[in-house]
Amino acid sequence: MITRMVVQTTSWLAGMGAILFLAAGDWGWPQGWVFLGEIAISSFALGFWLARHDPALLATRLSAPVQPDQRPWDRAFMAAAALVFVTWLVASAFDARRFRWSVVPFWVEAVGALLIALCMVVVWQTFRFNTFAAPQIRVQSERKQRVISDGPYRIVRHPMYAGALLMFVGTPLLLGSWWGVLVVPLAIVGIGFRAVGEERMLCGELAGYEEYTRRVRYRMVPGFW
């Protein structure tokens, strides 16, 4: 499984790097390499940690993006999200490096790198407490899925999505693209839509989840939503 994780992660990083640097038109783009390096270190660290501490979750994370029992609307969402993500990377690279429309101070880029690191910490804590954190919206009856209410799930109902928000803000800041930041509201709406859809499914199909939503009030941002 470790070999599979290394191959899939390397392929994903290579694809993302190709998109970024081809769009930027500059293979020496420093911010692009810092971003790719930070994602690579975090991804491999999480992968090796899962291989040691939760192989079942790692197998789930490495599974095909489309599953037979996955909600049809979620399949469409994931396809649309992938398209938006690629377009976002291309637009950020165009803005930050190829045409240099944006001028972003170094300290703002550093904040972006910090936000990405915080995102990875949140993801790690999510994996640490929730062995059912699959990328697809489905109830994992074959693994006897249950409600998770420990760790970050005591604060918000969707800590993984909360971490993703940090990534969406941090990435364009690190790359140096103000235009990339404009995509963040769209990402927030998309993640919110998915969170609501996921909760409707879990309330109807996972014992105890509706009661959990009454105990933990906020979905992603404490005190707000």
Side-chain angles (χ1 to χ4, degrees):
M1 189 181 299
I2 291 179
T3 301
R4 183 180 174 189
M5 181 273 293
V6 170
V7 170
Q8 285 192 206
T9 303
T10 301
S11 300
W12 172 65
L13 289 168
M16 186 164 57
I19 292 170
L20 268 177
F21 289 107
L22 287 174
D26 181 4
W27 290 93
W29 181 22
Q31 292 89 337
W33 284 112
V34 171
F35 168 73
L36 201 62
E38 186 172 14
I39 297 298
I41 292 171
S42 302
S43 298
F44 281 117
L46 285 171
F48 285 115
W49 184 88
L50 283 175
R52 179 177 180 180
H53 296 279
D54 196 342
L57 176 55
L58 178 59
T60 301
R61 302 296 303 182
L62 295 177
S63 64
V66 174
Q67 296 292 316
D69 57 349
Q70 183 181 3
R71 292 299 184 271
W73 66 264
D74 189 47
R75 298 179 188 177
F77 176 88
M78 292 181 73
L83 179 60
V84 170
F85 180 75
V86 170
T87 304
W88 179 52
L89 287 182
V90 170
S92 296
F94 276 174
D95 174 28
R97 196 63 177 179
R98 182 178 288 270
F99 300 111
R100 303 179 189 242
W101 293 321
S102 293
V103 177
V104 177
F106 174 78
W107 70 267
V108 173
E109 296 175 352
V111 169
L114 177 60
L115 291 176
I116 293 173
L118 289 175
C119 165
M120 293 304 179
V121 171
V122 172
V123 171
W124 169 56
Q125 286 296 300
T126 301
F127 289 168
R128 181 184 173 194
F129 287 93
N130 186 5
T131 187
F132 307 107
Q136 309 89 2
I137 290 183
R138 52 187 287 266
V139 173
Q140 300 170 60
S141 54
E142 75 282 1
R143 297 184 60 207
K144 297 181 173 56
Q145 182 174 350
R146 65 184 185 281
V147 175
I148 303 297
S149 57
D150 296 326
Y153 288 89
R154 292 178 296 180
I155 303 171
V156 292
R157 304 201 293 261
H158 300 278
M160 181 84 81
Y161 295 158
L165 295 180
L166 298 174
M167 173 71 74
F168 281 121
V169 176
T171 295
L173 294 183
L174 171 56
L175 294 177
S177 172
W178 292 124
W179 286 99
V181 176
L182 296 179
V183 178
V184 173
L186 176 62
I188 293 174
V189 171
I191 291 175
F193 169 82
R194 196 177 196 230
V196 171
E198 183 174 359
E199 288 191 344
R200 288 175 179 172
M201 180 205 69
L202 292 174
C203 284
E205 300 183 21
L206 189 62
Y209 192 83
E210 188 170 1
E211 191 276 331
Y212 166 70
T213 64
R214 289 193 288 268
R215 285 189 289 112
V216 179
R217 294 179 55 195
Y218 299 105
R219 290 186 173 96
M220 289 185 287
V221 183
F224 182 69
W225 190 70

